[in-house]
Amino acid sequence: MIPLCVPNLAENEKKYLDECVDSTFVSSVGPFVGQFEREIAKAAGVPYAMATSAGTTALHIALVACGVKRDDLVIIPSYTFIATANAVAHCGAQPLLVDMERSSWTMDVSLLEEELGKNTEIRNEQVIYCPTGQRIAAIMPVYTLGNVAKMDILSGLAQQYGLPVIADAAAAIGATDRGRPIGELATATVFSFNGNKTITSGGGGAVVSADQALSERIRHLLSTARIGTEYTHDMVGYNYRMTNIAAAVGLAQIEQLDKFVAKKREIRSFYNDAFKDSEKCELFPDQDGESVCWFSGILLESETAVRHLCKVLAAHEIEARTFWKPMHLQPPYKDCMRTGMDCCENLWSRVLTLPCSTGITYEELEKVCAAVKEGMKVL
Ligand SMILES: *Cc1c(COP(=O)(O)O)cnc(C)c1O
């Protein structure tokens, strides 16, 4: 079986886990959390990193720390994994959904600009969304597949409206923006270390930021808002810390980040070379070597073609899958306020993701391409 995307745990993972058990530091105290955080901050190019129990909890705590409250609106792209929208809902707030752009599959910043210009007004220094009277509290772009959104334009708009930007960079650790690491592009940036991401800690996440006060607030909130070592807590906090066990795996993984990202990019090039001349598909969006190419695959002509190829590949013991379904088509978010959705409605069901584990071999990649080509003959 060639799986879609599985962890690659061949280096120090076992050794560091043994150290956890031998030292009894298996929970939220222990040296690996701090070490992992320093490496995450370095990879993001910012001074602060706070490790969490998941990407979702990192998104939630970043929103809370940036002041998102009940009944606020948070602007997110409709084309994302549901955790982005769930983090907003966990604050008691609602997503305001914006379509994606075709070239990078990230939030369409011209639609964002139009929406802010057309439907908001400033009252008491707050951005009010006129159709509902709600406050807009933040913008949360998503770095789809490891592609950075158009952050210069997006940050310009955020600044103009006085809104914090929390970037959902769940699968984008290692990506760059015109040569620079991505941590400084937003008020706070969130990574996930779930099992299917480029590097994993089993389960986990992190918030990174260049803002010291914000980072201290996040660190305080995610460890039950405790003051000192006794049982005094000065606000309603969260138990969102990463454990030393998870950080042990995460540290062993981040030591290999450059190697893993290079492999993800090679996998992308391999598929692009194999399918660039095909009339039956298009390629995934690229960003001149700056994307970390988290998932790779092809864009087919129809959903039927995707289902057909999944079946053909399954018969060859190759795992291939559809990708994200937009938020405005999900039962919990179908009534959210939104822009037009022409781009994501045209695109989402035509996406086919192909095997892209960092441990995949060239023989396996060849086998996948041959099976895809066989399946395409009857499209
Ligand atoms: C994986 C992912 C998340 C969620 O991360 P978890 O660690 O699974 O909670 C959030 N947003 C996006 C875009 C993701 O790909």
Side-chain angles (χ1 to χ4, degrees):
M1 228 280 276
I2 305 177
L4 187 66
C5 186
V6 291
N8 182 343
L9 305 164
E11 298 291 333
N12 285 324
E13 290 80 5
K14 217 177 234 173
K15 173 169 167 247
Y16 294 168
L17 281 172
D18 275 345
E19 284 178 38
C20 289
V21 175
D22 292 344
S23 69
T24 77
F25 288 131
V26 293
S27 191
S28 49
V29 177
F32 288 122
V33 180
Q35 278 174 262
F36 186 33
E37 287 177 332
R38 280 189 288 281
E39 294 306 315
I40 297 165
K42 211 189 290 170
V46 287
Y48 309 104
M50 289 67 66
T52 61
S53 54
T56 308
T57 54
L59 287 170
H60 181 208
I61 211 141
L63 289 170
V64 170
C66 286
V68 175
K69 296 197 170 58
R70 183 158 297 281
D71 295 329
D72 284 341
L73 289 173
V74 175
I75 301 174
I76 68 169
S78 186
Y79 192 64
T80 185
F81 179 59
I82 200 155
T84 319
N86 287 348
V88 174
H90 294 333
C91 298
Q94 283 104 46
L96 168 56
L97 303 171
V98 173
D99 199 3
M100 69 203 260
E101 58 163 33
R102 185 65 182 76
S103 63
S104 69
W105 299 7
T106 65
M107 189 190 292
D108 182 331
V109 290
S110 43
L111 269 182
L112 170 68
E113 179 169 20
E114 187 186 310
E115 191 67 15
L116 285 168
K118 192 175 65 181
N119 281 328
T120 67
E121 63 181 46
I122 308 293
R123 278 183 228 152
N124 305 326
E125 296 182 19
Q126 297 192 328
V127 187
I128 302 300
Y129 187 66
C130 299
T132 62
Q134 287 167 284
R135 178 177 86 118
I136 295 177
I139 308 176
M140 192 152 62
V142 176
Y143 299 167
T144 316
L145 302 168
N147 296 347
V148 174
K150 294 219 160 62
M151 292 306 285
D152 42 355
I153 299 172
L154 194 145
S155 318
L157 287 167
Q159 208 158 21
Q160 183 188 333
Y161 287 86
L163 295 171
V165 179
I166 295 111
D168 181 346
I173 192 164
T176 52
D177 183 52
R178 281 156 289 176
R180 292 177 29 232
I182 55 175
E184 273 185 18
L185 302 173
T187 317
T189 300
V190 169
F191 300 125
S192 163
F193 306 117
N194 188 40
N196 68 354
K197 301 300 201 268
T198 303
I199 60 167
T200 184
S201 60
V207 187
V208 300
S209 178
D211 181 331
Q212 184 179 1
L214 177 69
S215 300
E216 281 169 4
R217 196 152 67 243
I218 290 171
R219 192 171 288 292
H220 184 59
L221 276 170
L222 70 82
S223 45
T224 68
R226 183 172 186 153
I227 348 178
T229 52
E230 295 186 358
Y231 289 94
T232 305
H233 309 259
D234 63 355
M235 49 180 135
V236 180
Y238 301 83
N239 178 13
Y240 282 178
R241 270 172 303 185
M242 178 175 278
T243 65
N244 203 46
I245 286 192
V249 178
L251 180 65
Q253 290 268 292
I254 205 167
E255 290 169 354
Q256 307 171 76
L257 178 63
D258 293 346
K259 185 176 81 185
F260 285 174
V261 169
K263 183 65 190 263
K264 287 284 190 185
R265 288 174 176 155
E266 275 176 46
I267 294 167
R268 177 67 63 81
S269 307
F270 197 98
Y271 288 136
N272 283 357
D273 284 345
F275 301 116
K276 64 180 189 292
D277 298 323
S278 170
E279 282 160 15
K280 302 210 167 130
C281 71
E282 293 169 67
L283 307 178
F284 272 24
D286 236 315
Q287 293 196 309
D288 301 325
E290 297 212 285
S291 172
V292 285
C293 304
W294 169 45
F295 267 34
S296 284
I298 47 177
L299 188 61
L300 291 156
E301 280 165 350
S302 66
E303 185 173 349
T304 318
V306 171
R307 307 266 171 221
H308 165 72
L309 275 180
C310 283
K311 255 187 230 156
V312 172
L313 290 168
H316 286 274
E317 299 197 298
I318 296 166
E319 191 183 11
R321 254 192 235 163
T322 56
F323 199 52
W324 298 336
K325 184 176 188 176
M327 293 307 106
H328 70 281
L329 303 177
Q330 304 281 0
Y333 300 110
K334 67 179 179 6
D335 298 325
C336 287
M337 301 305 288
R338 60 180 172 92
T339 67
M341 290 292 165
D342 292 349
C343 186
C344 70
E345 285 187 352
N346 167 280
L347 191 139
W348 77 272
S349 63
R350 301 191 290 121
V351 176
L352 177 71
T353 54
L354 294 171
C356 57
S357 310
T358 55
I360 199 166
T361 64
Y362 287 103
E363 292 70 33
E364 288 172 325
L365 284 168
E366 305 239 356
K367 195 177 157 206
V368 174
C369 292
V372 170
K373 283 175 181 167
E374 181 202 307
M376 276 178 170
K377 282 189 197 144
V378 295
L379 287 182

